[in-house]
Amino acid sequence: MFRSLLLLLPVLWFTSCPPDLEVPPALVTVEGFELSVDNGQGAATTDITEVWAFADGEFLGVFPLPARIPVFRLGQVTLRLEAGIRQDGRSVTPDIYPFYTPFVRTLELSSNATVNLGRLPIRYRPETVFGFVEGFEAGTPRVFTDRLAGNGELSVQTEVVRSGAAAGAISLADSNRLVELATFRTYGGLNELPINVWLEVDYLSDAPAVFGVVGEQGGLPVRVFDPGFLPRAEWTKIYFNLSSVVGAADVNEVRIALSALLGPELERGTVYLDNLKLLYLPAR
């Protein structure tokens, strides 16, 4: 009897494996994502670095772009592919960007077969609230107009641009090494739970800068700054998650602020900014 059980164990082992794992997987390839925008949503600049993959609701993994995604489910499978970004520009904080729509498609998958999806079309989710879109184009109002420190400003120029015909610039020099600016408008209710507030920024800069919020509580000023960027010689996009900053400020109305500081090794420098977008979700 015991000998019969030993002989039966390998049979039980192999027959207990899920059928789809007994054969090679299908392969789905993704080249990247293509963002389309509507009027009032600014330029379609992105920095999507990964794809988060789900098959029939089951998480498959996070894959760097361009991606080769093995799928062990065969036959008719519904794939959901989400755009992945680096929160605050840090490689240690990959995340699904909550404001882009997922790409969803039902495919007929076969073992060892490859399905090339190319570049996946995405948009901003319809429930996304655009607090502001600052592209510095002619005929549009400026956003960061209130000076908090220094005597500089975020001026419009047309020589160094990321997209469109214009971009913003903050000039720094020995006599003006620190410039802090805030939005002219206040934003209320951003601290209502769950907090989900992000700032998209395209930048090229000789100096570091940080972003945050300013407000008042009981007649006293409140200032919380955290995410920022280091100098870069080429245009770079960053998705800043301001949720923790807004939560730490814990005031009902805030203004979005930025602070740029020229390093001691430089006599002068310029911070170029373009396509600044404040995004959040409406309170539930």
Side-chain angles (χ1 to χ4, degrees):
M1 178 67 177
F2 181 70
R3 180 180 177 84
S4 299
L5 287 174
L6 288 178
L7 292 174
L8 187 59
L9 283 176
V11 177
L12 293 174
W13 169 259
F14 285 111
T15 57
S16 65
C17 292
D20 288 350
L21 293 181
E22 297 175 9
V23 295
L27 194 65
V28 176
T29 62
V30 175
E31 295 176 15
F33 289 83
E34 193 73 34
L35 176 66
S36 297
V37 294
D38 296 328
N39 289 336
Q41 295 182 345
T45 61
T46 63
D47 187 21
I48 301 170
T49 50
E50 292 95 17
V51 54
W52 293 58
F54 302 80
D56 293 334
E58 179 181 341
F59 179 57
L60 298 181
V62 182
F63 303 88
L65 292 169
R68 294 165 59 87
I69 306 169
V71 182
F72 285 91
R73 292 173 178 264
L74 304 179
Q76 194 172 81
V77 178
T78 298
L79 287 182
R80 186 175 94 249
L81 304 175
E82 300 266 10
I85 53 92
R86 301 295 176 90
Q87 180 176 302
D88 302 335
R90 301 168 184 165
S91 61
V92 295
T93 53
D95 203 354
I96 294 174
Y97 194 46
F99 302 103
Y100 290 155
T101 55
F103 176 87
V104 180
R105 179 168 295 180
T106 299
L107 303 173
E108 190 70 31
L109 299 181
S110 303
S111 176
N112 272 332
T114 298
V115 177
N116 181 14
L117 295 179
R119 295 186 64 81
L120 310 182
I122 56 173
R123 310 186 72 87
Y124 284 106
R125 291 179 181 269
E127 65 270 26
T128 300
V129 178
F130 288 78
F132 62 73
V133 175
E134 174 60 284
F136 303 96
E137 300 300 323
T140 60
R142 302 284 69 81
V143 174
F144 287 87
T145 57
D146 287 6
R147 187 180 297 123
L148 302 178
N151 55 17
E153 62 180 3
L154 182 54
S155 59
V156 177
Q157 52 82 45
T158 58
E159 294 182 0
V160 181
V161 302
R162 173 65 176 87
S163 62
I170 300 174
S171 297
L172 303 171
D174 274 336
S175 59
N176 188 45
R177 305 190 74 86
L178 172 68
V179 173
E180 290 187 352
L181 303 170
T183 58
F184 69 89
R185 175 188 163 186
T186 60
Y187 298 88
L190 297 186
N191 61 336
E192 295 182 13
L193 299 177
I195 303 174
N196 205 350
V197 182
W198 292 67
L199 180 68
E200 294 186 19
V201 178
D202 290 352
Y203 76 96
L204 182 159
S205 182
D206 299 318
V210 292
F211 294 84
V213 297
V214 296
E216 288 188 0
Q217 184 75 277
L220 298 176
V222 175
R223 294 166 46 93
V224 183
F225 287 82
D226 182 24
F229 57 71
L230 296 174
R232 292 294 294 268
E234 63 281 332
W235 281 105
T236 303
K237 187 176 192 72
I238 289 190
Y239 302 84
F240 289 120
N241 188 347
L242 297 183
S243 302
S244 61
V245 171
V246 171
D250 195 26
V251 292
N252 292 330
E253 292 190 341
V254 297
R255 292 184 294 159
I256 310 302
L258 66 90
S259 177
L261 177 65
L262 186 66
E265 72 282 2
L266 297 177
E267 294 183 357
R268 62 181 62 252
T270 305
V271 178
Y272 295 102
L273 300 172
D274 207 352
N275 304 317
L276 287 81
K277 303 179 185 182
L278 177 67
L279 308 179
Y280 55 94
L281 297 176
R284 296 176 183 175

